[in-house]
Structure formats: C-alpha cells, structure tokens
C-alpha cells in the first residue's frame, strides 16, 4: 500500500449508480476496492482514486427455488459457511472452498474480486466455470452474463465502467455430482493446477458434464474435449479412460514452478480421482 503515493481521493458510495458514476468520471486512475487483497499485493502507483464498496450491501448469500445469489463482497469464508452452500451439491462446493488458501486469506478474498481479477491460479474461477455460473454486472443498468461470456469479453475494457454485483448459481438436482482437486506445494500456496467437474449422472450414465481447469499456468477455461469424452459414457468407463485422456489432451504448459510433463500427470490423476468420488 505504501506504493499508492498518488492517491488523492477515497470514496464510499452508497449505491451502485453512485459507484459507477465515480468510476466513469475518474477512468483508469480509479480503482474499486472490495476485500483489498489484490491492491495490497499488486499496488498500481498510477492510481489516484479509491472507490470502496463496503457500503453497497453486496455481502450476502440468498436463495430461492432455482438460484443461489452471492453478493460480490461475500468472502470465501462467508460463502463456505452459509447454509445454502452446505446443502448445495451435497456440500462438496463448500468443502472445496474451505480448502482454498489459508483461513486469513479466505476471510479477505471476495467472490467479486476473484471474478474481476481472473488470476491464472484462481481456484474460485475454476469452481464458477465448472458450475456454469451467471455473473450479474451493473454499468448503469443491470445485466446478466454466463461466466464463459464474461471471461471471453475484453475484461479490461468491460470493467472500466462496470461493477460486478453478484454471482448466481443454478440449484442443480440430485442427479448432479461435483468435485474439485487442487495441487499446491504447501497448504497455503497458490495452485500449480486445479480442476473441477460437474456431472449429471442417471442410471450410471454421464448425461452431461462441465469441466474446468486453471493454473495451467494460463487462466481457467472449460476443458471441452474432456466434456465430450465423458458424455454418454458409463461412470465406470469414464473412470477407466479419464487419466489417459486428460493427460494427453489437456491444454497445459510448463513454467518456472513446474514442468508441462508434471502438470499433465496431475491433470490425469485429478480427472480420474474426481470421477471416482462420484461413486459415493
């Protein structure tokens, strides 16, 4: 934060309209602040205006018959501990959230911040992509985008005049199974690779599948080839072929932290391990 020497103004808007108006007036020299973790770790010395979102009442987890709505200021801890998430997909999403980062970081990282930063190593974006989340944005009017469409847009351009209001998750029926795996060097490290699978299974047959993986080391994206591989197969056949298919077809590279070969090995192991968890 000591690098933010040019900050001249701090705003605490009380409405989304006010927040967007300030953002539009100050342009690229303004920064929205949610949990504040990203700006603390990666301070931009060009920023002159900070717009704090604390007073917008965006920390909530609400549900109705079809959806769970998650306010952008909701922390990982708040989401994981919510009753709605504990019941969602057998509690497996909640368990995955509790395995991310450290307790201190889970208490600070917000869902909205994770979405807008889209860090390559983000576990949250991998979970949301696998769950086919909807992103609700506000730029003077409210719009809803699929998570895929949101990430496929020019985020830098879109977010110049836009605030993420909430994330929505469809309440899948009991035929759906969810699992996630992440590999790190220690309990609090960022992922070397992560993978999440949502699968609809009826009478032992995989009717539909959504697979996402991140920290490849590129940002999270859908593993569409693997999705097509899974669809229509029996769960047992999918388990038997998952390791080799994922290892061979994953869009993965190496970097300073680990090699491409090792990431491919992990991808195969994760694919098989998650599917095996669906037997239960």
């Amino acid at each position: 934060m000591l690098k933010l020497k040019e900050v001249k103004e701090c705003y605490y808007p009380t409405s989304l309209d006010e927040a967007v108006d300030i953002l539009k007036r100050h342009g690229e020299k303004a920064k929205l602040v949610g949990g504040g973790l990203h700006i603390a770790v990666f301070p931009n010395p060009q920023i002159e205006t900070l717009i704090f979102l604390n007073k917008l009442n965006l920390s909530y987890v609400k549900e109705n018959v079809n959806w769970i709505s998650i306010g952008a200021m909701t922390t990982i801890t708040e989401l994981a501990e919510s009753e709605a998430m504990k019941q969602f997909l057998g509690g497996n999403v909640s368990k995955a959230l509790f395995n991310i980062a450290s307790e201190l970081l889970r208490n600070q990282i917000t869902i909205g911040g994770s979405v807008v930063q889209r860090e390559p190593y983000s576990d949250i974006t991998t979970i949301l992509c696998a769950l086919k989340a909807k992103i609700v944005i506000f730029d003077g009017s409210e719009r809803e985008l699929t998570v895929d469409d949101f990430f496929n847009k020019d985020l830098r351009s879109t977010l110049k005049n836009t605030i993420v209001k909430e994330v929505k998750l469809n309440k899948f029926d009991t035929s759906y199974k969810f699992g996630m795996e992440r590999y790190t060097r220690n309990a609090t490290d960022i992922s070397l690779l992560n993978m999440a699978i949502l699968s609809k299974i009826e009478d032992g047959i995989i009717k539909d599948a959504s697979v996402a993986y991140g920290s490849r080391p590129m940002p999270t994206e859908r593993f569409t080839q693997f999705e097509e591989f899974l669809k229509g197969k029996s769960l047992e056949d999918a388990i038997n072929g998952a390791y080799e298919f994922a290892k061979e077809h994953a869009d993965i590279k190496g970097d300073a932290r680990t090699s491409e070969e090792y990431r491919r090995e992990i991808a195969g192991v994760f694919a098989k391990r998650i599917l095996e968890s669906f037997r239960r």
Side-chain angles (χ1 to χ4, degrees), residues 259-271:
S259 66
E260 176 181 338
E261 181 182 13
Y262 193 56
R263 273 199 175 93
R264 288 193 177 281
E265 181 70 21
I266 298 170
V269 170
F270 282 179

Side-chain angles (χ1 to χ4, degrees), residues 170-195:
N170 182 53
K171 294 177 74 171
F172 300 98
D173 63 46
T174 56
S175 67
Y176 283 86
K177 304 289 185 181
F178 175 85
M180 183 188 181
E181 293 283 344
R182 59 192 296 271
Y183 180 75
T184 62
R185 291 172 291 193
N186 58 60
T188 59
D189 194 14
I190 60 176
S191 294
L192 292 172
L193 185 79
N194 56 42
M195 182 181 291

Side-chain angles (χ1 to χ4, degrees), residues 2-51:
L2 293 176
K3 294 183 180 179
L4 296 173
K5 297 178 181 179
E6 299 301 317
V7 172
K8 300 178 176 63
E9 298 174 299
C10 293
Y11 290 92
Y12 291 82
T14 57
S15 70
L16 285 169
D17 282 309
E18 183 185 0
V20 168
D21 180 64
I22 297 168
L23 185 61
K24 289 179 178 179
R25 281 192 284 113
H26 292 273
E28 292 186 353
K29 293 188 176 182
K31 179 72 173 178
L32 297 170
V33 183
L37 182 62
H38 191 271
I39 198 171
V41 178
F42 304 109
N44 182 345
Q46 305 302 314
I47 295 300
E48 297 180 356
T49 301
L50 297 178
I51 307 169

Side-chain angles (χ1 to χ4, degrees), residues 42 54 94 102 105 113 146 164 194 202-203 248 250-252 265:
F42 304 109
N54 309 60
S94 178
S102 66
L105 290 176
T146 67
V164 171
N194 56 42
E202 293 179 341
D203 299 322
E248 179 181 351
D251 183 8
I252 278 174
E265 181 70 21

Side-chain angles (χ1 to χ4, degrees), residues 70-84:
I70 306 156
M73 287 287 286
T74 307
T75 66
I76 295 177
T77 296
E78 290 169 337
L79 180 59
E81 291 181 345
S82 68
E83 287 303 314

